[in-house]
Amino acid sequence: MRCVSLWVLIFATLCTAHSSANQAEPANTTVNLATNISSAYSADPATAYEQTLLPHLQCIFKQMQRDYSVQIMPWRRAYQDVKSNRIDGFFTAIPMRQIDPYAVLSSPLVLENWYWFWRTDTIAPESWREGYKLGSILGSQQETWLAEAGYKVEMTGNNLPQLIKLLQSKRIDVILADREHFMQAAKELKLDINHFQSRFFRYVPLGVYFNEQFLNQNPGFLLAFNQQITRCSTVSFAVTDYERLQIQELLGRKIERWKRLPNLEPMLIAANKKTHGLSQQEINARDKKWMRAFAENDYGYSIGLVDQPMSAELREIKKQSQDMITEVIVTDNRGLNVAISDMTSDYWQGDEEKFINVYGKPANTISFGNISYDESTKRFQLHLSVPLYSEQKLEPLGVMIFGIDVEKVLSLVQ
């Protein structure tokens, strides 16, 4: 009875237009969306959407002063209805080649962290593509991706707890699932997580696919929608504690070695003496000049910094990192760039968390920034920063900042 009542409530909520603008607005301003509510990790189908996604959408459309409606339908029908312009979009969706010709994916609303999970009595192969029985949640993003990538799904379940039971009973060999969802489902089933092994697969951004006709009729809509995603988000994309340990395991010793590069300490001591007397106004002026030059692709202002020997050493670190490191920055004790592997968008890092969280902190401090998704390179990146000290007097000298390709690191560590 509880489930029936809950579904009636969710259906009524989703199918009602959420009025966020003036009631006198014409009906054609309503944005018509579709979704397929399915359990992310629980036997309760409404949990994830009720608690996180719907409030996020409500905030976005309220800020945009647009009405919207949401209806529940199977994914395949949603694809067809977007293609035939019967609806304006559907969510949450992974990037899909067959949809891209007639729809555009928004910036991520959700970032999922997909892992392969299997029993400890199974020897994991390099690929699960052939010779293994795969399981998936019916109608899930994993099922969609597996089909598009040519994997054969042997069995499906209505939710993740059902799939885990199939895995435990050896009716399937492996599950592809979001790691947090798997952990919560195992907890719901009161299972020992040590009965399973896992391997990182990839991060997956989930957004809204809007059809091109709608976007052509509403110029500027997608840009405004993407801007509001960040403003309305109550959580940031961040690595888990487990992933932090994995990253530190792979990069920790290397970073300690890089903190002791020859000539780094004398260079920082000299730079700190040079910038010691700068006022905040002068720092801001230099930063604005740098950012203006960057925006205009004018590298004349920064060429001296890029071409110096220490910057060349930072580029060598990046080159030898197997694509794990995307950039390296060394700052002085004010947060001003002293050496850079690549041109940066700003000159002063001193007002940013990657500097504030580590400068002057214990020497073994490592700060992890939030994950950002670079649409142009399709990379998930974060900034990892560490404090720099003089070797003898242990005086704080500056900060070393690394741009990290998170997927690459997690893949290599396993």
Side-chain angles (χ1 to χ4, degrees):
M1 190 69 182
R2 177 181 175 275
C3 291
V4 172
S5 300
L6 183 57
W7 269 106
V8 170
L9 175 62
I10 297 302
F11 188 79
T13 302
L14 290 175
C15 293
T16 302
H18 294 255
S19 181
S20 55
N22 192 307
Q23 295 294 325
E25 280 191 337
N28 62 11
T29 62
T30 298
V31 182
N32 298 307
L33 302 175
T35 190
N36 175 14
I37 290 188
S38 62
S39 168
Y41 56 83
S42 171
D44 183 343
T47 304
Y49 286 86
E50 276 192 309
Q51 294 181 355
T52 57
L53 198 52
L54 283 178
H56 198 177
L57 282 175
Q58 288 168 354
C59 174
I60 291 169
F61 282 103
K62 181 179 180 180
Q63 294 300 320
M64 294 178 69
Q65 298 187 339
R66 295 291 297 263
D67 292 343
Y68 75 102
S69 67
V70 181
Q71 55 184 307
I72 303 166
M73 64 176 65
W75 284 127
R76 287 172 185 166
R77 181 184 160 193
Y79 304 158
Q80 292 302 316
D81 282 6
V82 165
K83 186 175 182 180
S84 58
N85 300 313
R86 286 193 288 269
I87 58 174
D88 300 318
F90 64 90
F91 68 91
T92 53
I94 59 174
M96 290 179 284
R97 289 190 298 271
Q98 73 268 32
I99 307 296
D100 288 336
Y102 53 85
V104 180
L105 187 62
S106 73
S107 295
L109 282 167
V110 179
L111 183 63
E112 291 197 338
N113 189 357
W114 289 6
Y115 277 68
W116 295 107
F117 293 93
W118 65 95
R119 297 181 308 277
T120 53
D121 63 357
T122 302
I123 299 175
E126 288 189 14
S127 171
W128 296 99
R129 190 178 295 274
E130 295 179 357
Y132 295 89
K133 293 179 289 185
L134 274 66
S136 179
I137 298 173
L138 186 64
S140 68
Q141 303 298 345
Q142 286 87 353
E143 184 184 43
T144 300
W145 185 90
L146 289 166
E148 188 172 87
Y151 287 81
K152 183 180 178 181
V153 175
E154 295 285 344
M155 300 189 72
T156 59
N158 292 324
N159 53 56
L160 197 45
Q162 285 186 9
L163 279 185
I164 294 176
K165 290 177 182 178
L166 291 173
L167 180 61
Q168 192 179 29
S169 64
K170 301 186 178 182
R171 296 178 66 186
I172 57 176
D173 298 315
V174 65
I175 296 171
L176 181 62
D178 178 83
R179 188 176 188 277
E180 182 180 352
H181 295 168
F182 187 94
M183 295 300 177
Q184 293 193 46
K187 183 178 180 181
E188 180 180 303
L189 293 170
K190 298 180 179 179
L191 295 177
D192 184 350
I193 197 63
N194 293 319
H195 292 165
F196 305 97
Q197 295 188 65
S198 65
R199 181 169 66 212
F200 175 80
F201 180 55
R202 58 176 292 191
Y203 281 108
V204 182
L206 304 182
V208 182
Y209 259 119
F210 292 103
N211 78 46
E212 287 199 343
Q213 178 174 302
F214 168 79
L215 293 177
N216 290 335
Q217 293 170 349
N218 293 267
F221 175 90
L222 186 60
L223 177 61
F225 185 89
N226 288 342
Q227 289 173 340
Q228 295 302 334
I229 286 176
T230 302
R231 292 171 186 169
C232 287
S233 178
T234 57
V235 293
S236 301
F237 299 149
V239 290
T240 64
D241 291 341
Y242 171 79
E243 289 165 347
R244 290 185 183 207
L245 289 173
Q246 296 283 293
I247 294 170
Q248 285 182 242
E249 181 180 316
L250 185 62
L251 293 179
R253 291 182 181 178
K254 292 183 176 69
I255 289 173
E256 285 301 314
R257 187 170 68 250
W258 295 331
K259 285 163 65 174
R260 298 299 173 203
L261 286 174
N263 303 318
L264 181 58
E265 181 175 330
M267 182 196 71
L268 282 171
I269 291 172
N272 289 334
K273 287 180 180 178
K274 190 174 180 181
T275 60
H276 175 73
L278 286 179
S279 68
Q280 189 59 52
Q281 187 175 6
E282 290 173 312
I283 289 174
N284 292 341
R286 290 188 182 189
D287 195 36
K288 286 180 181 178
K289 185 176 180 181
W290 182 288
M291 289 189 289
R292 193 181 308 116
F294 179 83
E296 296 171 356
N297 293 320
D298 177 12
Y299 301 137
Y301 182 62
S302 62
I303 194 67
L305 206 59
V306 175
D307 280 354
Q308 63 164 309
M310 184 56 65
S311 293
E313 289 195 53
L314 301 186
R315 282 191 290 276
E316 189 62 26
I317 289 173
K318 176 183 168 183
K319 181 180 178 181
Q320 294 179 6
S321 73
Q322 297 177 276
D323 294 326
M324 290 186 291
I325 295 174
T326 58
E327 67 173 344
V328 190
I329 304 169
V330 172
T331 79
D332 65 11
N333 59 11
R334 305 288 298 277
L336 297 169
N337 291 350
V338 173
I340 52 177
S341 64
D342 303 85
M343 179 61 182
T344 61
S345 59
D346 52 1
Y347 174 60
W348 184 47
Q349 318 299 329
D351 61 341
E352 299 181 25
E353 288 185 355
K354 56 193 174 189
F355 178 86
I356 296 169
N357 289 348
V358 298
Y359 177 73
K361 300 294 172 63
N364 62 350
T365 300
I366 298 180
S367 173
F368 290 82
N370 292 326
I371 299 171
S372 62
Y373 179 61
D374 189 327
E375 181 65 37
S376 61
T377 63
K378 307 298 181 186
R379 276 179 159 181
F380 293 95
Q381 302 183 78
L382 62 75
H383 281 112
L384 184 157
S385 52
V386 295
L388 296 173
Y389 283 86
S390 62
E391 195 164 1
Q392 296 296 326
K393 298 182 180 180
L394 297 179
E395 295 176 351
L397 297 177
V399 166
M400 183 174 275
I401 302 164
F402 300 90
I404 303 294
D405 184 326
V406 190
E407 286 190 311
K408 193 71 176 179
V409 174
L410 293 176
S411 296
L412 285 174
V413 80
Q414 297 179 63

